[in-house]
Amino acid sequence: MDAVKPLSLRIAKGEWIALVGHTGSGKSSLAQLMAGLTAPSKGTVKHFGKLWNYPKDLSIDVRRRIGFLFQFPEHQFFAETVYDEVAFAAKNFELDSIEERVKKSLDIAGLSFDEFKDRSPFTLSGGEKRKVALASVIVCDPEVLILDEPSAGLDGASKKAFWDWLRSYSNSQRTVIFITHSLEEAVAAERVLVLSNGALLFADAPREVFSHVNTLRRVGLEPPISAELSYELRKRVSFPMALTVEELIRALDGDV
Amino acid sequence: MAFKDVVVIGQYIPTNSVLHRAMAETKIVMTLFFIIGAFISQSFAVLALLFGALALLIILSNVPLRFYARSAKTVFILALFTFVFNALLTGQEVLFRLGPIAFKTEGVIVGIFFGLRLFFLIFVSTVLTATTSPVDLADGLNTLLRPLEVIKVPVEEFSLIMTIALRFIPVLADEADRILKAQKARGLNLSGNVLKRIEKLVPIVIPLFVSAFMKAEDLAVAMEVRGYLPGVKRTKYKVTKLGGVDVVVFVFTAVVFVASYLLRSKWVLVW
């Protein structure tokens, strides 16, 4: 069985994309295809407008330009110190001024360089581990960042801080693609790709996608509560489609 | 290619074949006798007979041939190693030269024999694991080793260790695949000479060990909370009985084994 069924998709530079779907819908496989980590069994994947003969000819440069954060990335730790763990990719790609890069990426991830650089990544707390994992990917300053369930296992405050950071990262002309099965998280994206059993169901703006409440429910996804409420209200009265609680309140106040 | 496509040994392929229906104990005994058969002599006749028997087993197992073909590549590399070492180091008479390297007549023959025997051993074990679920396999071993309990061998625990080990082969293969991809995404390049490559395996092997230990701990806790106690007398959920298939397999094993013994001095090219 194919993990991803035939689909055609183009992602522009600087886009902020959510990839959603039920468990086993093919999200991770599609993300790995996008990152050039898996070769398609049929069809082609172009990276940066060019077709690469995967895996032999996919240049190291493409790898450097696409950062990929796996689910539970802390399971990939191997180095003795946080510094070595974060510097790993930068060394592999033979980048210059490694210490500066490590410092900057730890800083972006919200960890103090001096405090953490000599600590073992294995002894950190869950949240700190995730931050180190993130730093170890952004150390190469990738143009495209693909994240597989990045907020899984983070507590409320860490989650919010993480999304705020990701938002600002994507604002600087970088493409961000994140996998999630929480549609609440997908609301903030510019485009939402919905996968079901390997097929691409929707690839549209959140407002458009979330108006198909029944279809989403049918494929095992839980629409955001505000979307559901406004959907029910729209059946009865004239009401705008609200995706967030704030939008819903504003709509109820009659501001929209 | 994913790890699990390469590591075929230990994978169970459920189909409803004759061999699948035979008791695990029967198949273990058969495999054991076939292996002994392969080891009692260096006769090419015995090897030909055993390969014939193996072909029959593969057909009877009703497991797609491409499943076996996938593992052939890995085994081939091992067999090639065996062949080359023997060809270079065994015997005196030079058969042919490749530059400064001299291949010896005796070595080439012994190398071919050992290479083929390796193929046989791995494939005959693959038939066993492909047609017997890990749980049945461990249960079968448990029954066969039971007599050792008299001399205080912890048979029950041993078979549990076997079950868990077999059960976790595909899980760890998947995990290794994931880790490999993650490190590739961070620029790990596995090319280079042998020493370089070994060094580059560190970022894959360490996370794999860490994950295996974590899984082991979780599993131990999960087993304890569900009341597992070592060394307790257990009854079986599924009681297997000797059936017609088992008798046929036993007779087949006996015939092949006796024939291997009788043929042991035929076609022995080098001793």
Side-chain angles (χ1 to χ4, degrees):
Chain A
M1 202 186 89
D2 294 333
V4 180
K5 296 199 177 114
L7 61 88
S8 180
L9 188 65
R10 178 190 286 267
I11 291 166
K13 189 178 176 178
E15 263 195 291
W16 161 257
I17 287 180
L19 187 52
V20 299
H22 54 81
T23 315
S25 59
K27 307 184 292 279
S28 293
S29 303
L30 182 59
Q32 289 184 20
L33 281 169
M34 289 174 177
L37 290 170
T38 315
S41 49
K42 276 176 233 140
T44 53
V45 182
K46 279 185 180 177
H47 293 103
F48 304 105
K50 200 175 162 210
L51 194 64
W52 303 88
N53 186 10
Y54 178 84
K56 280 207 173 85
D57 303 339
L58 190 75
S59 78
I60 196 95
D61 186 47
V62 174
R63 278 271 144 77
R64 194 194 67 71
R65 290 165 72 188
I66 306 177
F68 196 105
L69 193 72
F70 272 77
Q71 204 175 354
F72 299 108
E74 51 276 17
H75 292 179
Q76 300 137 25
F77 289 169
F78 71 95
E80 283 176 44
T81 63
V82 166
Y83 181 89
D84 287 338
E85 190 66 52
V86 176
F88 179 65
K91 283 180 187 162
N92 282 332
F93 292 120
E94 297 173 354
L95 302 180
D96 49 10
S97 48
I98 288 179
E99 188 169 332
E100 243 165 72
R101 283 175 178 276
V102 173
K103 208 169 182 170
K104 195 178 155 204
S105 56
L106 278 176
D107 188 45
I108 292 173
L111 293 176
S112 144
F113 176 77
D114 295 321
E115 192 188 327
F116 283 92
K117 70 176 184 343
D118 295 325
R119 287 184 61 182
S120 161
F122 295 101
T123 58
L124 304 177
S125 75
E128 288 164 349
K129 278 183 180 170
R130 189 63 58 85
K131 287 174 180 171
V132 170
L134 190 65
S136 78
V137 172
I138 56 175
V139 69
C140 302
D141 199 15
E143 291 161 45
V144 180
L145 189 58
I146 304 176
L147 311 110
D148 194 346
E149 304 254 358
S151 64
L154 290 183
D155 61 35
S158 316
K159 239 182 216 180
K160 189 175 175 318
F162 170 76
W163 286 112
D164 287 346
W165 168 79
L166 196 61
R167 187 82 245 190
S168 64
Y169 191 78
S170 83
N171 282 342
S172 47
Q173 271 300 297
R174 290 189 187 88
T175 313
V176 172
I177 301 162
F178 63 94
I179 293 180
T180 176
H181 51 228
S182 151
L183 294 191
E184 304 273 358
E185 287 179 349
V187 164
E190 283 167 12
R191 193 147 65 117
V192 180
L193 311 178
V194 183
L195 280 179
S196 173
N197 295 322
L200 188 62
L201 221 55
F202 298 109
D204 224 322
R207 205 163 295 278
E208 169 59 28
V209 171
F210 293 131
S211 61
H212 300 275
V213 170
N214 281 338
T215 315
L216 292 174
R217 264 200 220 118
R218 209 176 51 238
V219 298
L221 292 169
E222 193 64 39
I225 184 81
S226 339
E228 271 195 81
L229 266 174
S230 47
Y231 173 77
E232 290 302 327
L233 284 167
R234 280 157 72 91
K235 279 203 252 174
R236 292 162 179 81
V237 289
S238 153
F239 196 79
M241 190 71 206
L243 294 185
T244 61
V245 176
E246 291 79 28
E247 278 183 27
L248 188 69
I249 292 171
R250 264 191 286 143
L252 286 171
D253 284 346
D255 291 350
V256 179
Chain B
M1 190 186 282
F3 272 91
K4 66 171 179 223
D5 295 332
V6 182
V7 189
V8 167
I9 216 171
Q11 272 190 44
Y12 173 57
I13 310 290
T15 62
N16 192 21
S17 79
V18 184
L19 271 187
H20 282 76
R21 285 200 298 274
M23 277 168 68
E25 288 85 342
T26 314
K27 285 179 275 185
I28 295 169
V29 169
M30 173 188 76
T31 310
L32 201 66
F33 271 91
F34 277 18
I35 290 174
I36 297 171
F39 272 102
I40 48 177
S41 72
Q42 290 200 17
S43 147
F44 277 92
V46 172
L47 215 50
L49 172 81
L50 290 175
F51 267 104
L54 176 65
L56 190 67
L57 290 180
I58 287 177
I59 293 165
L60 287 178
S61 73
N62 201 17
V63 171
L65 273 180
R66 60 166 193 280
F67 170 79
Y68 295 103
R70 264 191 287 162
S71 70
K73 198 176 144 195
T74 328
V75 185
F76 181 74
I77 296 167
L78 269 177
L80 195 69
F81 259 108
T82 316
F83 169 75
V84 169
F85 274 104
N86 275 293
L88 299 180
L89 302 174
T90 311
Q92 302 294 330
E93 186 193 326
V94 175
L95 182 68
F96 62 92
R97 283 176 188 279
L98 267 178
I101 307 161
F103 284 81
K104 318 279 184 4
T105 316
E106 195 186 342
V108 168
I109 296 170
V110 173
I112 291 174
F113 183 84
F114 281 170
L116 287 174
R117 184 150 78 185
L118 193 66
F119 255 98
F120 175 76
L121 295 179
I122 292 178
F123 278 104
V124 86
S125 322
T126 309
V127 171
L128 173 67
T129 51
T131 59
T132 319
S133 80
V135 175
D136 289 346
L137 199 60
D139 268 352
L141 274 176
N142 193 359
T143 317
L144 290 172
L145 296 177
R146 182 82 4 121
L148 293 178
E149 275 182 348
V150 180
I151 54 164
K152 303 270 180 217
V153 175
V155 174
E156 190 94 32
E157 282 71 35
F158 175 71
S159 77
L160 180 77
I161 292 169
M162 283 287 299
T163 321
I164 295 172
L166 289 169
R167 153 80 181 74
F168 272 88
I169 289 174
V171 174
L172 288 180
D174 269 342
E175 186 78 13
D177 199 43
R178 222 169 59 90
I179 294 168
L180 179 67
K181 278 182 184 158
Q183 308 299 35
K184 268 189 177 171
R186 291 206 282 160
L188 181 75
N189 180 7
L190 281 179
S191 58
N193 64 36
V194 178
L195 280 180
K196 273 251 156 58
R197 275 198 215 186
I198 292 174
E199 198 190 317
K200 283 173 176 174
L201 280 179
V202 172
I204 296 166
V205 173
I206 291 180
L208 194 59
F209 269 104
V210 173
S211 135
F213 278 116
M214 287 198 310
K215 282 195 172 71
E217 206 175 315
D218 287 349
L219 185 66
V221 173
M223 282 167 69
E224 269 182 46
V225 296
R226 285 186 291 170
Y228 178 80
L229 280 175
V232 177
K233 187 108 191 105
R234 288 190 171 75
T235 52
K236 274 188 184 174
Y237 159 63
K238 223 167 57 181
V239 182
T240 45
K241 276 205 187 110
L242 210 64
V245 184
D246 298 286
V247 177
V248 174
V249 174
F250 275 132
V251 172
F252 174 68
T253 308
V255 170
V256 173
F257 186 73
V258 170
S260 309
Y261 184 76
L262 296 175
L263 285 171
R264 71 190 184 284
S265 53
K266 296 275 187 303
W267 298 1
V268 180
L269 300 183
V270 181
W271 188 242

